[in-house]
Amino acid sequence: QEQLIESGGGSVQAGDSLRLSCEASGRAFTIYATAWFRQTPGNEREFVAGVSYSGGNIYYADSVRGRFTISRDNAKETTYLQMNNLKPEDTAVYYCAADKGRGAYGLAYYAHEYDYWGQGTRVTVSS
């Protein structure tokens, strides 16, 4: 059973940066694809960025491409989301997710495809 713990959220001004971290505890992190989703009240969880367990396949939502960077350190069992040039529309609760069994380059894009979730970390961007 994997447990995911997010950290790094906070309240910032538009144009600022934040780095989210997602630390996994378990024995199989290195074979899980990981991703970041976000959710605002009344809406479904939205895919933000994902990385395969090999690191060889990375994908971003159009709304964050060029501003956000996802990375992972398998030795530390941690996935990161560097968020630059934040905008008010990035305000949301951000969730880390892990998906097993897709192979070294597999990556899923929908919330229901992920097996494990963190508790979420809130990001608020003011204009």
Side-chain angles (χ1 to χ4, degrees), residues 12-30:
V12 297
Q13 297 291 317
D16 287 349
S17 298
L18 281 174
R19 188 175 83 155
L20 306 183
S21 298
C22 170
E23 184 174 357
S25 62
R27 299 185 178 182
F29 174 80
T30 55

Side-chain angles (χ1 to χ4, degrees), residues 2-3 7 12 21-22 36 40 43 45 77-78 84 105:
E2 289 292 319
Q3 290 188 325
S7 61
V12 297
S21 298
C22 170
W36 290 94
T40 54
N43 294 305
R45 289 187 186 183
E77 299 186 332
T78 301
N84 297 330
Y105 294 92

Side-chain angles (χ1 to χ4, degrees), residues 9-125:
S11 297
V12 297
Q13 297 291 317
D16 287 349
S17 298
L18 281 174
R19 188 175 83 155
L20 306 183
S21 298
C22 170
E23 184 174 357
S25 62
R27 299 185 178 182
F29 174 80
T30 55
I31 63 168
Y32 288 179
T34 52
W36 290 94
F37 287 76
R38 65 187 181 187
Q39 189 171 26
T40 54
N43 294 305
E44 295 183 354
R45 289 187 186 183
E46 170 192 28
F47 178 88
V48 174
V51 56
S52 63
Y53 80 71
S54 69
N57 186 9
I58 291 175
Y59 192 80
Y60 298 97
D62 289 343
S63 58
V64 306
R65 186 175 290 115
R67 298 187 298 122
F68 290 11
T69 302
I70 189 170
S71 61
R72 60 187 288 160
D73 184 336
N74 285 347
K76 296 182 178 180
E77 299 186 332
T78 301
T79 300
Y80 304 97
L81 185 68
Q82 177 67 42
M83 305 186 295
N84 297 330
N85 190 22
L86 282 161
K87 303 177 180 181
E89 51 264 43
D90 294 319
T91 295
V93 177
Y94 283 72
Y95 296 90
C96 178
D99 171 35
K100 61 185 179 182
R102 290 192 182 271
Y105 294 92
L107 186 59
Y109 307 104
Y110 298 99
H112 71 267
E113 298 180 283
Y114 282 78
D115 302 292
Y116 303 107
W117 291 88
Q119 81 288 351
T121 185
R122 185 174 300 276
V123 172
T124 302
V125 185

